[in-house]
Amino acid sequence: MAFAANKMLTGLVAATFTPLTTQGEINLTEIGRYIDYLTEKQSINSIFVNGTTGESVSLSVAERKTLAEEWCQKAKGKMDQVIVHVGCMSLKDSQELARHAAQIGANGIAVIAPSYFKPSTADALRTFLHHVSSVAPALPFYYYHIPALTGVDVPLSDVLENIEELIPSFRGVKFTGCDLTEFGQCVSHSRPHWSVLYGIDEQLLAGLAMGAHGAVGSTYNYLGSHVHKLMSAFEKGDLIKARAIQFKIQELLSYAKKLGFDLGVNKQLMNDVSGLCLGPPRSPLMPCPHARALSIKQKYQSLFPEN
């Protein structure tokens, strides 16, 4: 594939939504248009597919394979990196998806902790991650830390301690948590070739101040162009401009949360802003009520009128 080989994952990474039909089936026809929208309208050159935003836990292994293959194929020559999330409750399913990701030319794989039978210690979690990474040893491997959803909140510093001895392909963390002390320790103890990516969109500026190498998030699908300006301002030391953009993002998401902001609402906002037809979420998530979608879209347009 035309992707960069073993290039560090930095900058903005969009956590993609999974296009579905109104009947809840995967819709591959939108993926090409989706990638063009991200690259041309939002200046996004890397994506994280089949993750939380992509409703991975509501998809079958076969569906996730089909989607991963389509994302990689359509991104060829257009994007720098496609990271495929392969985490599952079943180790065997995770391994199957990891092997497949290597076969289709993904640039890396990421894994969440199992959340039903949970690893209770750092050693248990490291062992699970090792078993997944071992079947695709040539692929950069990322741990996806999202304790609010997995319920697995073992100290990340313990998980990362000497992790390359067990997982030589380990290349970083997607840190989706609000504990900036833990995040700072993660950055502080990271290796030079690791990417530590922050995953709370409304706190990105704080993550950058703590040393994040980039960010993975759902709102970058439709706010990417603005967040690039935030990151550029931060790099230039213009904190007033960076804060102004961050505060707008916080205002949008705070407004949406008061109305009830979940993945279905987020996906509908992406539909409305982008003009893509990504469909509703899959059950048990519910479609966004029309009035709520309209109200959040109007708030978005008031804050970001140029879009």
Side-chain angles (χ1 to χ4, degrees):
M1 298 183 73
F3 301 136
N6 291 322
K7 180 181 177 182
M8 278 190 68
L9 184 62
T10 59
L12 278 190
V13 183
T16 57
F17 298 93
T18 291
L20 298 176
T21 67
T22 54
Q23 291 75 38
E25 301 300 324
I26 60 172
N27 179 14
L28 302 181
T29 62
E30 283 294 281
I31 289 180
R33 291 181 60 222
Y34 195 158
I35 287 171
D36 290 341
Y37 172 81
L38 290 176
T39 57
E40 296 169 10
K41 300 297 184 181
Q42 301 298 339
S43 299
I44 294 290
N45 297 309
S46 294
I47 51 178
F48 185 98
V49 307
N50 291 352
T52 303
T53 305
E55 303 178 65
S56 62
V57 295
S58 295
L59 302 171
S60 69
V61 169
E63 287 175 322
R64 289 172 67 169
K65 284 183 176 182
T66 299
L67 285 161
E69 193 164 347
E70 189 73 7
W71 282 114
C72 286
Q73 182 180 350
K74 288 297 192 294
K76 190 184 302 183
K78 294 183 177 181
M79 289 200 153
D80 293 335
Q81 299 210 46
V82 176
I83 307 302
V84 179
H85 171 248
V86 301
C88 299
M89 296 305 98
S90 161
L91 172 60
K92 295 296 184 181
D93 287 348
S94 292
Q95 290 177 322
E96 184 176 345
L97 289 170
R99 290 190 192 94
H100 179 258
Q103 292 166 1
I104 63 175
N107 298 100
I109 53 175
V111 175
I112 57 170
S115 59
Y116 190 86
F117 292 122
K118 298 177 178 64
S120 58
T121 65
D123 284 341
L125 177 53
R126 259 200 312 262
T127 298
F128 179 86
L129 300 178
H130 162 67
H131 287 320
V132 179
S133 68
S134 65
V135 303
L139 277 185
F141 183 90
Y142 302 89
Y143 170 51
Y144 178 7
H145 179 68
I146 183 166
L149 289 183
T150 63
V152 178
D153 200 13
V154 298
L156 191 53
S157 57
D158 291 349
V159 178
L160 299 181
E161 186 175 355
N162 299 320
I163 195 167
E164 283 186 315
E165 294 179 8
L166 195 62
I167 306 174
S169 58
F170 187 82
R171 290 298 178 270
V173 176
K174 178 190 174 189
F175 185 100
T176 304
C178 295
D179 187 337
L180 289 172
T181 298
E182 184 177 31
F183 181 71
Q185 288 297 295
C186 182
V187 174
S188 175
H189 293 95
S190 68
R191 304 285 297 276
H193 55 283
W194 291 5
S195 298
V196 183
L197 306 163
Y198 197 59
I200 303 294
D201 303 11
E202 56 269 45
Q203 293 184 179
L204 173 58
L205 185 55
L208 293 174
M210 296 301 294
H213 304 116
V216 183
S218 61
T219 67
Y220 308 144
N221 283 282
Y222 49 83
L223 288 174
S225 61
H226 300 285
V227 180
H228 278 300
K229 294 174 186 176
L230 183 159
M231 296 179 76
S232 177
F234 174 79
E235 290 168 3
K236 294 174 182 176
D238 188 349
L239 289 180
I240 293 175
K241 181 176 181 180
R243 286 192 199 111
I245 299 169
Q246 183 73 90
F247 291 160
K248 282 187 177 184
I249 296 170
Q250 290 179 345
E251 184 175 349
L252 173 64
L253 296 181
S254 295
Y255 178 83
K257 287 175 182 177
K258 286 179 182 178
L259 296 179
F261 189 63
D262 59 13
L263 196 147
V265 176
N266 201 9
K267 193 174 189 181
Q268 185 58 47
L269 183 57
M270 176 59 176
N271 282 329
D272 292 341
V273 172
S274 67
L276 296 168
C277 297
L278 305 180
R282 179 174 282 180
S283 181
L285 298 176
M286 297 296 290
C288 177
H290 176 73
R292 189 183 308 175
L294 180 61
S295 183
I296 295 172
K297 180 182 178 181
Q298 289 172 341
K299 183 67 171 179
Y300 171 89
Q301 291 173 331
S302 72
L303 291 167
F304 304 100
E306 60 268 39
N307 277 28

